[in-house]
């Protein structure tokens, strides 16, 4: 029966009576008829050969020529391995097989690939069968004549009858397949059908005790190419293997890829740049910054930015451009932060890619290109933690050095795997990433979930007004220490913190500790050190107050260690205790750290000499220096202002005396004629109280009306205004004749523009904001008393005290703040300056330098020229002629 079904023998009906056919003979006749229709064996050149060639065409082109139900077979057996016997190999990727045990004859196209075609041979319309006698071996009566072909069949035959030559490597691919599967038992897994109802399936053949995938073998050896449309019917793992095999064959230029020219790529492989280090910052779910262990600790050059290879996570957005984070962007970043920050990792750099404009062919133009380095990061771990996946078996065991961070991110559904183009560099662990993505998709995790992404609204107080920051203070004072996360290191002593409990971000600075400002020596080292120590770490803070810019001042602890200690020990910061050290926790520890750096002459202390005055933002108080505790009552232009001494009993005494007077009766015109310089009592409408005042200006001639205007100066507060005659009263003998209690002061060592000069108005407003509007108490360290102003004749006259003014809760002096904002400049140095003045100017130099570098205020157009009083007159030349 097998021989007849293959077309290698005829059925002899000799000896059978007419009309009598045995069941066995009937089965043989059926198999013979099927062999004839298929054109197998000896029937390949009989008059039915034309019909046999039609079997290669789609069923839709043949009408009822095929009765095979491909869809029914697929519905019954899809994905189920079936035993089969390969009868014929048409080309490297097309087989004709018998499905066992039914011996159902079908044609199968190998899924996911296509081999070179074998071409076609010209087939005649009719072929005369030679006569076969009865005496011939296996002879039989001549076959009955066939019915002529229909018009449709003739047209199909003529369309396919044109002879075409085989594609390059077509015969080689066919021979490769024949050597492995022809006339052998194989396993067929049906994957689907094409639009012509041709069966598509995977073919596995035995090789010793294992089974091999025919498609994969063909692709690996360069005998077939990957075909996306049929590969989509297969499982993801099988697709990845075929795609990877094709890429390797292209790289090796095997057989059909001999003349393959790879497309232009903007990626370039990186070799021999592996390193170990600690993760300093997580930029996003697919980007981290690692400090290389081979570079000295704390060095800015140690940090290397590593983009995770072949993955893409949701973007974090840009607050400056009002770009909000994409869904799951925060979650992806937090997932890595909690696992990587401060942890030791191994980094395998794999490729770099230029990001920038490209030409029509896809080649980078070069202008404005930015090079990004990509690599795989492995977290050193002795086992699984927090349900993280172990290293994937898809990577060689020799290359597994810990948990693949990219695989962890993809496995949690926080990113997707990039589908690279051919010859585009990719991760060495690309298959493991694809497998992790498949698990995340099947598990509906993260971005693959049908659920709405979590929403988190963060209030950014770093961009809000100072008033809003002050209003937030009570929330941070609920508990002594507040948990926070360091989001960014702005400078060595100033940071951006996230308060998860309050869902807000704040600007925070160490209280009593200051590092060099930007562009100053050791500034970058201070920033690098704090990034290494506290960047994106969980910390605790204790807030004391808020400064004028909305920055919260206080102390910070990481792992129960004060964060400022490392700065002071490294010689990258100085203590500032001029405003009071009682507010600083761990002060003794901080002083010991600073003293240690001084003794070793580290960094900023390299020129330190024991016994000299310690430089700081404000002039350091000495035992002999006079210090006043004051409040500011009035601010003038040019940096002058009036203060009252806090706790002065004279102020309270005079106020009590004025409160006891009955001053409701208006003065009699003509009887009370105030003159310039007289001391009178004046009614102040703002608080409906009476105060001592000096008459500065009077109307011309005698008083004629109660509305005549007088200009008065309030002796005890320093303000001056015009008032009508009706608000004046003669000074009662019971009121003290003591000199005015408002003391005129100026800020020592600096020059502030007058109101009529450029930035004079801005300087006065800023000084008022720092002092008068704040309502704070200040410590005024008297640097110099100027008595050349003579007697008090009104506002801005009389003796002046030059002071260094420091608020009790401030980090720097008002003098330094004015310089820092570019609203003042330092006085000129002189060779005969005393050491105290030299030291004070040295302390203020850094603040002026910061303003000059940032082009603030008066420095916006660069260095300004000294005014006339600072410029020495030109020297006359010696001798009469030049």
């Amino acid at each position: 029966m097998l021989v007849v079904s293959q077309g290698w023998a005829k059925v002899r009906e000799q000896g059978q009576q007419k009309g009598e056919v045995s069941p066995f003979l009937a089965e043989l006749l059926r198999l013979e008829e099927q062999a004839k229709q298929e054109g197998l064996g000896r029937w390949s050149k009989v008059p039915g050969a034309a019909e046999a060639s039609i079997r290669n065409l789609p069923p839709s082109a043949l009408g009822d020529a095929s009765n095979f139900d491909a869809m029914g077979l697929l519905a019954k057996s899809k994905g189920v391995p079936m035993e089969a016997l390969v009868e014929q190999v048409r080309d490297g990727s097309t087989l004709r097989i018998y499905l066992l045990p039914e011996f159902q004859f079908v044609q199968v196209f190998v899924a996911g690939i296509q081999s070179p075609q074998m071409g076609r041979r010209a087939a005649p319309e009719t072929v005369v069968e030679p006569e076969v006698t009865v005496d011939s071996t296996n002879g039989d009566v001549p076959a009955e004549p066939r019915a002529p072909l229909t018009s449709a069949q003739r047209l199909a035959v003529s369309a396919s009858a044109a002879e075409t030559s085989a594609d390059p490597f077509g015969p080689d691919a066919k021979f490769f397949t024949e050597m492995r599967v022809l006339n052998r038992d194989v396993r067929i897994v049906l994957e689907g059908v094409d639009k012509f109802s041709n069966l598509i399936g995977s073919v596995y053949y035995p090789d010793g005790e294992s089974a091999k995938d025919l498609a994969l073998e063909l692709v690996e050896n360069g005998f077939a190419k990957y075909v996306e449309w049929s590969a989509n019917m297969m499982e993801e793992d099988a697709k990845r293997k075929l795609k990877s095999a094709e890429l390797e064959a292209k790289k090796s230029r095997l057989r059909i890829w001999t003349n393959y020219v790879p497309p232009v790529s903007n990626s370039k492989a990186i070799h021999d740049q592996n390193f170990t280090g600690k993760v300093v910052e997580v930029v996003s779910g697919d980007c981290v910054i690692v400090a290389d262990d081979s570079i000295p600790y704390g060095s800015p050059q140690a940090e290397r930015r590593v983009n995770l290879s072949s993955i893409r996570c949701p973007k974090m957005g840009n607050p400056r451009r009002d770009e909000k984070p994409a869904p799951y962007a925060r979650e992806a970043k937090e997932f890595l932060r909690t696992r990587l920050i401060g942890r030791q990792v191994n980094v395998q750099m794999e490729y770099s890619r230029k990001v920038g404009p490209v030409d029509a062919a896809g080649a980078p133009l070069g202008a404005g290109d930015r090079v990004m380095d990509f690599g795989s990061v492995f977290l050193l771990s002795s086992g699984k933690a927090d349900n993280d996946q172990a290293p994937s078996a898809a990577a060689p065991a020799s290359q597994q050095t810990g948990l693949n961070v990219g695989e962890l991110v993809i496995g949690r559904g926080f990113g997707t795997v990039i589908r690279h183009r051919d010859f585009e560099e990719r991760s060495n662990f690309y298959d493991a990433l694809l497998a992790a993505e498949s698990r995340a998709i099947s598990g509906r995790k993260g971005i693959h979930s049908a659920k709405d992404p979590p929403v988190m609204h963060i209030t950014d107080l770093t961009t809000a007004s100072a008033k809003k920051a002050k209003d937030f203070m009570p929330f941070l004072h609920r508990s002594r220490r507040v948990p926070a996360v360091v989001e960014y290191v702005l400078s060595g002593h100033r940071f951006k913190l996230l308060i998860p409990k309050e869902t807000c971000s704040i600007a925070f600075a160490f209280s009593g500790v200051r590092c060099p400002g930007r562009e100053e020596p050791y500034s970058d080292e201070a920033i690098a050190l704090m990034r290494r120590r506290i960047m994106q770490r969980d910390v605790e803070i204790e807030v004391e107050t808020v400064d004028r810019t909305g920055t919260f001042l206080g102390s910070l602890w990481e792992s129960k260690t004060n964060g400022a200690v490392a700065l002071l020990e490294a010689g990258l910061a100085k203590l500032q205790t001029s405003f009071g050290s009682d507010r600083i926790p761990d002060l003794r520890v901080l002083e010991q750290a600073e003293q240690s750096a001084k003794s070793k002459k580290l960094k900023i202390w390299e020129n330190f000499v024991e016994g000299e005055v310690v430089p700081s933002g404000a002039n350091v108080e000495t035992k002999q220096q006079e210090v006043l505790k004051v409040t500011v009552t009035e601010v003038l232009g040019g940096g002058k202002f009036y203060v009252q001494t806090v706790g002065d009993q004279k102020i309270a005494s005079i106020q009590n005396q004025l409160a006891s007077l009955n001053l409701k009766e208006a003065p009699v015109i003509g009887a009370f004629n105030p003159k310039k310089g007289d001391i009178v009592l004046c009614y102040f409408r703002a608080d409906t109280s009476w105060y001592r005042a000096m008459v500065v200006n009077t109307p011309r001639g005698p008083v004629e009306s109660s509305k005549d205007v007088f200009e008065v100066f309030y002796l005890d507060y320093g303000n001056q205004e015009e008032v009508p005659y009706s608000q004046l009263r003669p000074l009662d003998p019971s009121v003290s004749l003591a000199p005015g209690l408002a003391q005129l002061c100026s800020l020592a060592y600096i020059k502030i523009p007058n109101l009529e000069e450029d930035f004079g108005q801005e300087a006065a407003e800023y000084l008022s904001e720092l002092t008068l509007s704040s309502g704070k108490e200040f410590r005024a360290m008297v640097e110099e008393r100027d008595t050349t102003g003579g007697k008090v004749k009104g506002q801005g006259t009389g003796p002046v005290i030059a002071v260094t003014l420091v608020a009790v809760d401030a980090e720097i002096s008002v003098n330094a703040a004015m310089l820092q904002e570019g609203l003042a400049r330092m006085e000129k140095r002189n060779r005969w300056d005393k050491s105290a003045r030299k030291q004070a100017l040295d302390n203020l130099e850094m603040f002026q330098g910061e303003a000059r570098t940032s082009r603030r205020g008066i420095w916006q157009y660069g260095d300004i020229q000294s005014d006339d009083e600072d410029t020495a007159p030109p020297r006359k030349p010696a001798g009469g002629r030049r």
Side-chain angles (χ1 to χ4, degrees), residues 91-95 108-117 173-174 176-177 191 194 199-203 205 213-234 238-239 241-246 256-257:
D91 56 48
S93 58
T94 307
L95 309 178
V108 176
F109 292 89
V110 181
I113 66 168
Q114 181 180 346
S115 291
Q117 298 296 308
K174 179 181 178 183
F176 183 88
T177 301
E191 308 287 359
D194 62 10
L199 289 173
I200 310 295
S202 299
V203 180
Y205 67 91
D213 184 354
L214 177 61
L216 186 60
E217 290 292 311
L218 286 167
V219 174
E220 285 179 344
N221 288 276
F223 286 124
K225 64 180 180 179
Y226 176 81
V227 179
E228 186 73 29
W229 68 268
S230 64
N232 288 335
M233 303 177 186
M234 307 169 65
K239 286 174 58 178
K241 289 181 179 179
L242 288 179
K243 191 66 176 175
S244 299
E246 183 189 53
I256 65 174
W257 307 112

Side-chain angles (χ1 to χ4, degrees), residues 61-77:
L62 299 175
D64 296 331
S66 175
N67 296 322
F68 174 65
D69 185 9
M71 295 302 298
L73 178 61
L74 178 66
K76 177 182 176 182
S77 306

Side-chain angles (χ1 to χ4, degrees), residues 595-608:
Q595 188 59 40
S596 173
K598 287 180 181 178
S599 61
K600 297 177 183 178
K601 294 188 176 182
L602 299 177
K603 309 298 183 184
I604 61 176
W605 305 110
E606 58 186 352
N607 297 320
F608 173 73

Side-chain angles (χ1 to χ4, degrees), residues 94 107 205 334 353 733 774:
T94 307
Q107 179 170 273
Y205 67 91
E334 182 65 13
R353 181 162 57 90
S774 68

Side-chain angles (χ1 to χ4, degrees), residues 413-435:
F414 292 133
T416 57
V417 180
I418 299 173
R419 266 54 183 181
H420 294 282
R421 296 178 299 171
D422 289 344
F423 268 77
E424 195 172 52
E425 296 295 336
R426 63 196 66 198
S427 171
N428 296 333
F429 308 89
Y430 192 70
D431 290 343
L433 295 177
L434 291 173

